[in-house]
Amino acid sequence: MNHLRFLRYVDEVARIGSIRQAAERLHVAPSAVNRRIQDLEEELGTPIFERLPRGMRLTAAGELFVRYIRSRSAELDGVRSQIEELKGKRRGTVRIVASQALGPAYLPGAVASFRTAHPLVAFEVTIGDHLQALEALRAFDVDLALVFNLAPEADIEAIRQFDQPLVALMHRSHPLARRPHVYLRDCADYPVVLPDRDIGGRQLLERFMMRSSVKLRPMVESNSFEFLRGCLYYQHAISFQIAIGAVTEGGELVARQLEDRHFPKGKLVLASLRHRQLPVIAHAFVEHVQQTLATAGD
């Protein structure tokens, strides 16, 4: 399959924007990469790249050709997975992009339990928001996305959606930690540390506060959940998190459900690129995710 290896040269240059850097990653000579690109351009009868002073940029024809390359590569992965299935083996690589909230607890557990049944399977996990998830699916960089509040798109198939409530997260010594439930107005009396406005949980808060008299004035905003959890050890601070991402750090932190009426829930969306044939092992992981999330919701 040397022709596929040569196509990978083009894909790598497209991703990095440099023949030299692509050659280093591919462990080949830059002249070999350049020669193969020139051969393909001659065969296609049009340039694939613009040669710029500081790198390489795809032409319009090049963008079409790279999409073809990535589609072919994804199809080959699917065929390889089916061949392994015929052999009675479950092996291959599952590539997934997931929301940050799933990184600390849920996704590591789901991967570990899946690999207990299928120890030959590897995973490539990317943490990203819904926009990065769409980009990764369309570029064939991942098989699956598991992200919050993924908006409907014509070329994206939402395999399943799971409701996720927002919870208040605080240290176990916090005065509100003694209550089984809290209201948002209770939290307004304490320092608040919030995820930034690009994160799904923050968007749920903003949506509720637009039609509520309760207002929160954050003393800290961050795109890092790990940093926000660290803030909860000081000054009776409170943060908010989607329930599945509410890591309690061995009991040091506690999560309390918000009891406000009509508080919106987030949607955790499991998705793939529409009409793409997924590898068999990715299909198996889809079933596993659905089972584990259905159990978590019980």
Side-chain angles (χ1 to χ4, degrees):
M1 298 184 181
N2 277 344
H3 65 291
L4 295 178
R5 178 162 57 89
F6 298 150
L7 293 180
R8 188 185 170 202
Y9 291 0
V10 176
D11 189 18
E12 200 67 35
V13 174
R15 292 179 189 278
I16 298 176
S18 164
I19 287 179
R20 181 183 59 79
Q21 292 180 30
E24 289 176 358
R25 292 189 60 172
L26 294 165
H27 305 292
V28 297
S31 58
V33 175
N34 189 49
R35 184 167 60 252
R36 295 305 176 186
I37 290 174
Q38 291 174 340
D39 290 344
L40 285 167
E41 288 178 326
E42 183 176 348
E43 186 174 346
L44 292 170
T46 188
I48 299 173
F49 291 98
E50 293 180 60
R51 273 72 172 173
L52 304 174
R54 294 190 177 182
M56 306 279 281
R57 183 171 63 196
L58 286 170
T59 63
E63 290 178 359
L64 290 173
F65 189 62
V66 165
R67 183 168 179 82
Y68 160 77
I69 291 172
R70 292 172 183 173
S71 176
R72 284 287 304 277
S73 178
E75 289 176 5
L76 181 59
D77 288 342
V79 171
R80 284 173 172 153
S81 181
Q82 291 174 26
I83 291 172
E84 293 297 333
E85 192 78 2
L86 289 174
K87 294 178 181 178
K89 298 177 181 179
R90 281 282 178 93
R91 69 168 72 209
T93 300
V94 178
R95 301 174 301 162
I96 184 168
V97 56
S99 289
Q100 184 184 171
L102 304 179
Y106 169 74
L107 198 53
V111 168
S113 56
F114 187 79
R115 291 196 72 256
T116 298
H118 310 293
L120 299 179
V121 176
F123 281 81
E124 294 178 5
V125 179
T126 303
I127 299 300
D129 60 24
H130 62 286
L131 294 177
Q132 292 166 323
L134 289 173
E135 183 180 342
L137 286 171
R138 288 167 175 157
F140 296 90
D141 289 337
V142 298
D143 307 309
L144 302 167
L146 188 59
V147 293
F148 290 105
N149 298 339
L150 187 67
E153 298 279 349
D155 60 339
I156 302 298
E157 179 180 358
I159 300 169
R160 188 164 173 187
Q161 301 185 37
F162 305 86
D163 285 342
Q164 281 292 309
L166 198 71
V167 298
L169 196 62
M170 64 200 75
H171 192 265
R172 65 180 183 179
S173 63
H174 196 285
L176 295 182
R178 294 189 289 271
R179 302 185 187 181
H181 309 290
V182 299
Y183 292 88
L184 193 62
R185 64 175 176 269
D186 301 326
C187 302
D189 295 332
Y190 298 93
V192 173
V193 296
L194 295 183
D196 66 29
R197 296 176 188 272
D198 291 331
I199 292 177
R202 175 67 179 272
Q203 293 167 2
L204 293 180
L205 274 175
E206 298 287 346
R207 193 189 314 168
F208 180 78
M209 288 191 295
M210 284 180 65
R211 50 185 174 81
S212 167
S213 60
V214 179
K215 303 300 176 188
L216 299 179
R217 296 176 176 81
M219 70 171 188
V220 172
E221 297 180 64
S222 175
N223 66 347
S224 168
F225 290 171
E226 183 178 3
F227 172 74
L228 292 174
R229 285 196 300 272
C231 292
L232 302 183
Y233 287 78
Y234 306 94
Q235 299 180 318
H236 286 164
I238 296 177
S239 191
F240 299 89
Q241 178 61 272
I242 300 294
I244 200 169
V247 177
T248 56
E249 301 189 357
E252 287 298 308
L253 305 179
V254 297
R256 293 290 178 259
Q257 187 169 332
L258 293 170
E259 289 298 298
D260 300 80
R261 290 185 62 191
H262 308 304
F263 200 98
K265 291 184 177 180
K267 293 287 186 182
L268 179 58
V269 183
L270 176 62
S272 64
L273 190 64
R274 193 177 298 277
H275 304 310
R276 177 182 169 186
Q277 183 178 0
L278 291 174
V280 173
I281 199 62
H283 274 297
F285 190 65
V286 164
E287 296 175 2
H288 183 70
V289 167
Q290 294 186 89
Q291 291 170 0
T292 55
L293 286 175
T295 301
D298 292 340

